[in-house]
C-alpha cells in the first residue's frame, strides 16, 4: 500500500502542476488582453490557437504514451509546458500571442493525455475509483494558480515575473514529488491512426466529456472578464471567479470516488449535468457579483466528475489501448475545454458576454442525456 500511496502522490503532483499553470494563465488574461488592446472577439480568435495546439498534440502524445510509457512522457512534457507559460508573458503583439498560445495549448493537451494514462494505471492498481481524486488535485492546482494571480495583482506584479516565479516554483516542487519508481505499460498503438478520433461507444463518451469541458474552459478563460465587464467588479475581485469554481470542483472531486462507488457513474453523471445547468442559469441571470460567483460555484459542482468518469471509461475500454483511447476522448473532451473560450469570445462579439454564456445551458442538458455512455465496460 505504501507503494500505491507514493504513486498516488506522484500523479497528484503532476495534476496540480498542470492545473496550476492553466490557472496562472487564466488569472492574468484580463491583464494580457488590456496590454495588447484586444477586443472580446480578438481574444476569442487568439484562444482558438490554443485549442488548435491541443487538438494537434493529442494523437501524437497518445502514441508516445503507449510506446514509451506514461510516466516518462508526463515528466518531460511537464517541463516543456512550464516553459511555454513563460512565452505567453513575452508576447507583445496579437500574432505573437496566437503563436505562443498554440505552443501552450499543445503542451497542455499533451500533458493531459499522458498524466491521465498514468492516473488510469494507478487507479487500476488500487482497484477502486480514484480518478476523480486526481482531477481534484488539478482543480486545486488551478485554484491556487488563480489565487496567485489575485496576489500578483494586489502586489502590482507584472505578468512576466508572476509567471516566472509561480511557474518555476510549481514545476520544481511537482517534479520532486513525482520522482517515484513506477513502470508504465507499453503498448503498440495503431500506427495507421493519424487522428485520435474515438469510435463506437467512445464517441458518446467523448461527446459527454466535450460538453463538460466546454463549460470548464469557458469559466477558466472568461469568468474574470465576465465579473469585471458584466458585474463591474475590480480586477482583483474578478480573479476570484475561477478560484470559487475550482474550490467547488476540488470538494466534489475529493468525494467523487465514494459517491461513484456508491451510486455508479451513470446516476452521478446525470445529477452532475443538472447541477451544471442550474449553475449556468445563475450566472446568466445574475444581477451582481454575488449571484455570478454562486453560479460559478454550482458549475464547478456540476462539471467536477464528468472528465474523470470519461477518462476512466476510456482507459478501461476492452478494444483500444489506453493511451490511444484516452487521446481519442481527449480530442473531443479537452478539445471542448479549449474550444469553449474562443466560442464564448466569438458569440460575445456578436451578441453579448452574458448571452454567450447561455450556450452552456443546453450542453449541460446533453450531459444528462448521454450519461449512459459512461457505464464501465465489462
Amino acid at each position: 500500500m505504501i507503494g500505491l500511496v507514493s504513486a498516488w502522490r506522484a500523479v497528484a503532483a503532476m495534476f496540480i502542476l498542470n492545473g496550476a499553470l492553466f490557472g496562472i494563465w487564466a488569472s492574468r488574461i484580463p491583464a494580457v488582453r488590456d496590454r495588447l488592446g484586444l477586443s472580446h472577439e480578438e481574444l476569442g480568435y487568439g484562444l482558438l490557437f490554443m485549442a488548435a495546439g491541443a487538438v494537434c498534440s493529442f494523437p501524437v502524445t497518445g502514441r508516445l504514451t503507449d510506446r514509451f510509457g506514461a510516466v516518462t512522457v508526463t515528466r518531460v512534457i511537464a517541463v516543456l509546458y512550464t516553459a511555454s507559460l513563460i512565452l505567453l508573458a513575452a508576447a507583445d503583439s496579437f500574432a505573437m500571442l496566437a503563436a505562443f498560445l498554440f505552443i501552450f495549448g499543445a503542451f497542455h493537451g499533451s500533458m493531459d493525455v499522458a498524466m491521465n494514462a498514468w492516473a488510469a494505471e494507478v487507479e487500476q492498481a488500487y482497484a477502486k475509483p480514484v480518478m476523480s481524486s486526481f482531477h481534484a488535485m488539478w482543480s486545486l492546482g488551478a485554484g491556487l494558480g488563480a489565487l496567485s494571480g489575485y496576489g500578483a495583482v494586489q502586489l502590482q506584479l507584472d505578468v512576466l515575473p508572476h509567471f516566472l516565479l509561480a511557474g518555476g516554483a510549481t514545476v520544481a516542487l511537482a517534479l520532486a514529488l513525482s520522482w517515484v519508481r513506477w513502470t508504465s505499460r507499453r503498448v503498440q498503438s495503431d500506427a495507421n491512426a493519424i487522428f485520435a478520433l474515438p469510435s463506437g461507444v467512445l464517441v458518446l463518451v467523448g461527446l459527454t466529456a466535450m460538453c463538460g469541458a466546454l463549460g470548464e474552459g469557458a469559466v477558466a478563460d472568461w469568468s474574470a472578464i465576465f465579473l469585471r465587464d458584466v458585474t463591474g467588479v475590480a480586477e482583483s475581485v474578478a480573479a476570484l471567479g475561477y478560484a470559487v469554481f475550482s474550490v467547488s470542483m476540488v470538494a466534489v472531486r475529493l468525494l467523487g470516488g465514494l459517491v461513484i462507488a456508491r451510486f455508479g457513474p451513470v446516476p452521478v453523471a446525470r445529477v452532475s449535468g443538472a447541477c451544471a445547468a442550474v449553475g449556468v442559469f445563475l450566472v446568466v441571470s445574475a444581477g451582481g457579483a454575488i449571484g455570478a460567483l454562486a453560479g460559478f460555484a454550482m458549475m464547478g459542482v456540476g462539471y467536477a466528475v464528468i472528465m474523470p468518469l470519461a477518462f476512466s471509461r476510456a482507459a478501461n475500454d476492452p478494444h483500444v489501448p489506453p493511451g490511444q483511447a484516452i487521446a481519442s476522448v481527449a480530442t473531443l473532451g479537452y478539445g471542448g475545454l479549449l474550444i469553449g473560450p474562443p466560442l464564448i469570445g466569438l458569440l460575445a462579439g456578436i451578441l453579448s458576454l452574458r448571452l454567450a454564456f447561455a450556450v452552456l445551458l443546453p450542453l449541460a442538458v446533453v450531459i444528462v442525456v448521454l450519461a449512459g455512455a459512461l457505464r464501465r465496460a465489462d
Side-chain angles (χ1 to χ4, degrees):
M1 178 57 75
I2 295 177
L4 288 181
V5 171
S6 297
W8 185 94
R9 183 195 64 205
V11 177
M14 291 291 99
F15 272 78
I16 290 173
L17 170 64
N18 188 281
L21 297 180
F22 193 77
I24 291 168
W25 154 245
S27 71
R28 301 309 298 271
I29 287 176
V32 173
R33 185 196 69 169
D34 292 347
R35 178 164 59 85
L36 298 180
L38 303 178
S39 66
H40 287 166
E41 189 173 5
E42 287 172 328
L43 178 59
Y45 280 121
L47 295 172
L48 190 61
F49 282 86
M50 185 175 172
V55 171
C56 290
S57 74
F58 291 145
V60 176
T61 309
R63 289 196 291 272
L64 289 175
T65 298
D66 285 332
R67 182 175 180 182
F68 297 106
V71 175
T72 300
V73 176
T74 300
R75 288 172 178 159
V76 171
I77 294 176
V79 177
L80 298 176
Y81 182 30
T82 306
S84 69
L85 173 71
I86 312 303
L87 288 178
L88 294 177
D92 59 5
S93 66
F94 172 77
M96 187 176 292
L97 178 65
F100 290 162
L101 279 172
F102 182 91
I103 298 172
F104 183 72
F107 288 127
H108 173 76
S110 294
M111 190 173 176
D112 275 325
V113 171
M115 71 183 187
N116 273 287
W118 188 3
E121 294 174 0
V122 175
E123 182 180 52
Q124 290 172 359
Y126 266 94
K128 63 180 180 179
V130 297
M131 182 67 81
S132 66
S133 67
F134 293 127
H135 284 254
M137 296 301 100
W138 190 96
S139 298
L140 175 62
L144 292 174
L147 286 175
S148 79
Y150 172 80
V153 172
Q154 293 293 87
L155 295 173
Q156 298 182 337
L157 198 63
D158 287 339
V159 175
L160 181 57
H162 172 211
F163 284 9
L164 282 170
L165 290 172
T170 306
V171 70
L173 181 60
L175 287 176
L177 291 173
S178 71
W179 218 260
V180 296
R181 296 178 62 86
W182 184 271
T183 302
S184 288
R185 295 169 301 180
R186 299 188 181 188
V187 184
Q188 185 62 43
S189 299
D190 184 2
N192 297 320
I194 300 176
F195 298 104
L197 296 177
S199 59
V201 177
L202 290 181
V203 174
L204 300 181
V205 175
L207 289 174
T208 305
M210 181 182 69
C211 292
L214 277 164
E216 284 193 56
V219 176
D221 285 353
W222 288 101
S223 59
I225 294 177
F226 185 96
L227 286 167
R228 196 181 68 173
D229 292 1
V230 177
T231 68
V233 300
E235 181 183 349
S236 59
V237 178
L240 296 177
Y242 189 49
V244 167
F245 174 82
S246 298
V247 167
S248 66
M249 291 195 82
V250 169
V252 174
R253 284 175 167 173
L254 286 175
L255 296 173
L258 295 175
V259 175
I260 293 168
R262 172 66 178 84
F263 298 102
V266 176
V268 171
R270 286 175 177 153
V271 172
S272 296
C275 290
V278 172
V280 174
F281 177 78
L282 290 175
V283 170
V284 173
S285 61
I290 299 300
L293 287 172
F296 288 135
M298 182 59 73
M299 290 174 72
V301 172
Y303 294 132
V305 299
I306 300 303
M307 291 301 291
L309 286 172
F311 280 125
S312 182
R313 170 61 181 83
N316 289 277
D317 190 87
H319 307 297
V320 184
Q324 185 177 329
I326 290 174
S328 69
V329 169
T331 299
L332 293 179
Y334 276 108
L337 178 66
L338 299 168
I339 289 172
L343 175 63
I344 295 296
L346 296 177
L347 291 176
I350 298 172
L351 304 169
S352 69
L353 189 54
R354 187 187 293 272
L355 291 178
F357 261 82
V359 74
L360 302 176
L361 185 55
L363 294 177
V365 176
V366 172
I367 294 175
V368 178
V369 175
L370 297 181
L374 298 176
R375 184 176 289 107
R376 291 284 291 270
D378 294 330

